[in-house]
Amino acid sequence: MKNTFVIAFSTRKGGVLKTSLTVNVAGVLSRKYKVLIVDTDAQGDCLLSFGKNPDNVKNTLFEVLTGKIPAEKAVIKLTKNIDIIPANDRLESLDFKVIGNFVEFPKPFDLMRESLSSIAKNYDFVLVDSPAHFGLMQGNIIKFVDKLFIPFQPETYSMRSLVKILSAISEFKQDHGAKAEVGGVIATIVDTKTVLHSDILAKCRQFCQGAGITLFETVIPKSIRFASSVAYGGLPSTLHDPDHPTSRKYFDLYQEIREVLKYG
C-alpha cells in the first residue's frame, strides 16, 4: 500500500463502542498492515484495551498537541504491527490550554494535522478514537482524518442524535475547510431480537439511503459475555479471541470498510 488511510470512529455520544471499534479493527488490520492508534479520549481506554494503565504514561497526545514533544516520543509499541499515541486525563485540560491562546496556538483546529501528519506516513492505517463530545478535539479530528465512521446505537432518540452529528460535521467542514468525509454508519450494541432495535435500524437505513450515506450491513451485537472476556484478556478480542462470534463481526466490518476506502 502506498497511501496512509487515516480514519476515525466518531460521534458525540458515549457508550456506543467507539473504542471497541478502534482497537478491534486495529487488531484485524494488524494481520497484514502497520497500524497507529491515536487515542483522543481522556479516559485512555485504548491503552487499557491492551492491558496497560494510561495513568502511568508520561508522554501522551496532550504533550504532542501542545508542542512539548514530537509525536515520535509519545509512541508506544503494543504488538508487532500496532503502535499507539495514548491519552490520559491530562487531555481534559487541552481546551483550557488552547482556546483563546492565539499567540501560542493560532490554528487551534490544526493541532493534530500539524503534529501527526509526518508520523502518520510511517503507517498503513491511522485509527483515531474520539471523545464523546463535539468541541476542540472533534474539530481537530475532522481536519486530520480522511474518513469518519459513526457508531449508531438503535435506542430511543438515537435517530435525532445521528441527524445532529451529521449536521454538525457538515457545518464544521463548511466553516473550516475540513477534508473528512463520512464513510458510513455502524450499528452497535444491537439486540436484533427486540422490535425497537429492528424498527430504529429500518428508519436509520431509510434515512441513510436518502442522505447518500452507507449504513453497513454488519452490526455489532450486544454481548455481556463478550465484554467480560475482553476485559480480562488484556488484548482486543480480534487478537485475544478472534474466533468468538462477536469478534468475527469486526472481521466482517473490516471488509465493508475496505470497500469504502477502495484498497486491496
Side-chain angles (χ1 to χ4, degrees):
M1 289 173 58
K2 295 181 180 180
N3 298 322
T4 300
F5 293 98
V6 186
I7 68 175
F9 297 97
S10 182
T11 185
R12 63 183 181 184
K13 189 177 186 301
V16 293
L17 302 189
K18 292 189 299 293
T19 299
S20 292
L21 287 164
T22 303
V23 299
N24 279 298
V25 171
V28 176
L29 288 167
S30 70
R31 293 187 164 208
K32 187 175 180 180
Y33 302 110
K34 192 173 181 182
V35 182
L36 174 67
I37 296 172
V38 180
D39 193 350
T40 68
D41 190 336
Q43 295 185 79
D45 286 344
C46 284
L47 200 59
L48 283 172
S49 299
F50 288 85
K52 299 181 183 295
N53 187 349
D55 296 334
N56 298 333
V57 177
K58 179 180 178 181
N59 294 326
T60 71
L61 183 64
F62 175 78
E63 284 73 32
V64 174
L65 296 183
T66 55
K68 294 181 179 180
I69 61 170
E72 289 79 2
K73 285 197 173 183
V75 172
I76 295 173
K77 191 167 191 62
L78 297 173
T79 70
K80 180 182 177 181
N81 281 332
I82 302 176
D83 294 346
I84 187 172
I85 295 179
N88 58 25
D89 56 10
R90 289 198 295 280
L91 196 59
E92 292 177 345
S93 64
L94 183 69
D95 286 31
F96 301 114
K97 175 78 172 175
V98 172
I99 294 175
N101 186 357
F102 292 109
V103 174
E104 192 173 354
F105 304 103
K107 298 179 180 179
F109 292 118
D110 291 324
L111 299 178
M112 285 186 71
R113 186 173 60 82
E114 292 180 350
S115 61
L116 299 180
S117 291
S118 179
I119 194 174
K121 296 175 183 178
N122 298 329
Y123 298 88
D124 299 307
F125 287 87
V126 178
L127 306 187
V128 180
D129 185 20
S130 71
H133 60 273
F134 203 93
L136 176 64
M137 186 57 73
Q138 285 282 9
N140 270 271
I141 291 169
I142 295 171
K143 293 204 74 174
F144 175 57
V145 308
D146 303 310
K147 298 284 186 183
L148 295 161
F149 295 95
I150 302 176
F152 173 82
Q153 184 182 8
E155 297 286 1
T156 307
Y157 308 125
S158 55
M159 276 303 305
R160 180 172 178 267
S161 295
L162 178 61
V163 171
K164 285 185 174 292
I165 186 64
L166 290 172
S167 176
I169 291 169
S170 177
E171 184 175 333
F172 181 88
K173 287 176 60 178
Q174 192 170 26
D175 291 344
H176 298 278
K179 65 176 183 176
E181 297 179 349
V182 175
V185 176
I186 305 164
T188 63
I189 321 179
V190 177
D191 186 348
T192 54
K193 296 179 181 178
T194 67
V195 174
L196 175 64
H197 279 203
S198 297
D199 286 349
I200 294 177
L201 276 178
K203 291 178 182 178
C204 182
R205 189 168 300 282
Q206 185 177 22
F207 167 77
C208 287
Q209 287 175 345
I213 297 169
T214 300
L215 173 63
F216 291 125
E217 294 294 332
T218 303
V219 301
I220 307 300
K222 182 178 181 180
S223 174
I224 295 174
R225 176 174 166 269
F226 173 75
S228 298
S229 69
V230 173
Y232 294 109
L235 283 173
S237 62
T238 50
L239 294 173
H240 172 66
D241 190 6
D243 293 322
H244 188 285
T246 302
S247 297
R248 300 314 303 174
K249 291 291 185 180
Y250 289 103
F251 284 85
D252 295 340
L253 177 64
Y254 156 72
Q255 294 297 336
E256 293 196 70
I257 290 175
R258 181 178 175 177
E259 291 180 11
V260 169
L261 297 179
K262 296 181 173 62
Y263 75 92

